[in-house]
Amino acid sequence: MLKGLDVKYLKHFFHFAQPYRRTAWIGVAMLPLSIACSLLFPWLIIQVIDGYLSHGNIDACSRQSFT
């Protein structure tokens, strides 16, 4: 799968990335939170449209956004 030359480049890369290892792990750990937030916004829009706007209840929609 990996050629000998690729492994050599990876070792070289990881040697220079060593000081940033902690930051990289924090970034990897934050990925699920980032994905969840990316999925949450469209879900909230669907809830507002289906729950309030489709029934013509615009006042409740504006009341929900400020509370």
Side-chain angles (χ1 to χ4, degrees):
M1 180 181 272
L2 287 175
K3 298 178 183 173
L5 190 59
D6 293 339
V7 173
K8 179 182 171 187
Y9 286 137
L10 282 174
K11 286 182 182 178
H12 189 70
F13 169 74
F14 286 131
H15 173 70
F16 285 105
Q18 186 100 16
Y20 308 105
R21 185 175 33 185
R22 182 172 182 239
T23 305
W25 280 114
I26 290 171
V28 168
M30 295 295 285
L31 278 174
L33 179 64
S34 174
I35 292 169
C37 289
S38 296
L39 294 174
L40 181 65
F41 184 71
W43 180 79
L44 288 173
I45 297 298
I46 290 170
Q47 295 303 314
V48 168
I49 291 172
D50 290 345
Y52 298 108
L53 297 180
S54 64
H55 299 295
N57 195 358
I58 296 174
D59 293 332
C61 181
S62 64
R63 192 170 46 245
Q64 286 291 341
S65 64
F66 293 116
T67 58

